[in-house]
Amino acid sequence: MISLRNLEKFYEAGYGRTYVLRRISLDVKEGEFLTFMGPSGAGKSTLLSILGMLDAAWTGEFEFFGHAVHRMKPKDRVELNKRYIGFVFQSYHLIDNLTVYENLDIPLSYRNVKSAERAALVCDALDRFHIVGKRDLYPSQLSGGQQQLVAVARAVIASPKLILADEPTGNLHSTQGKEIMDLFQKLNEEGTTIIQVTHSEANAARGHRTIQLADGWIVS
């Protein structure tokens, strides 16, 4: 599903290059549940953004479902993201001027789902994540935990082939966090590929394997 070869990301500075990722080579099979772990600044979130086609400033080779991403135009990468990927951002990235309902509807509109089916899927997600009462509120009217639940719901609502999750339970209390990880595990058992960044050993234990990063390198 995913193949990375010698992927690197760096910033040019007056004294030379500052590397964020170094010589990353990695294969991810469809249906895997993979975890990235490591200290702050290790490059975990940056690598997740590259996998999600949100960061184009890197070198190396990246193949995704047979597509050579490193050769694709930006607009084609965006289409690939919309078609296959659900992303849970650490800082939510909800659209401020849209209600909870409208935020959940967005990924469905990208996939050309008919309006009646979209309405049913959004209502189902509102119910599943216990946020029915928040449907007409805006992100600024929600707590951090509530925004996180909406962000997770938005990521999974269109049944993506790949879910990328950056600290998906970081702002949730333990019961909510367990429910989200239970959901991820169920989706994975049904065939969804999941790649998460976490500092939680318990969350990492849900997956099939853990990749440790340090200073931009894969160390184990």
Side-chain angles (χ1 to χ4, degrees), residues 49-93:
S49 289
I50 291 172
L51 292 173
M53 325 271 173
L54 304 175
D55 185 335
W58 46 268
T59 62
E61 296 183 1
F62 173 13
E63 293 201 357
F64 182 81
F65 271 122
H67 298 274
V69 178
H70 51 285
R71 296 196 187 103
M72 295 178 75
K73 295 176 181 178
K75 65 181 180 64
D76 294 327
R77 293 182 185 184
V78 169
E79 287 306 312
L80 211 54
N81 168 294
K82 289 178 180 178
R83 196 186 325 160
Y84 290 110
I85 298 171
F87 206 119
V88 182
F89 297 92
Q90 191 171 7
S91 53
Y92 323 126
H93 284 214

Side-chain angles (χ1 to χ4, degrees), residues 79-112:
E79 287 306 312
L80 211 54
N81 168 294
K82 289 178 180 178
R83 196 186 325 160
Y84 290 110
I85 298 171
F87 206 119
V88 182
F89 297 92
Q90 191 171 7
S91 53
Y92 323 126
H93 284 214
L94 301 176
I95 301 173
D96 292 335
N97 62 343
L98 297 183
T99 64
V100 167
Y101 185 101
E102 291 165 339
N103 266 280
L104 296 182
D105 185 59
I106 284 285
L108 298 172
S109 67
Y110 291 155
R111 289 170 171 79
N112 299 316

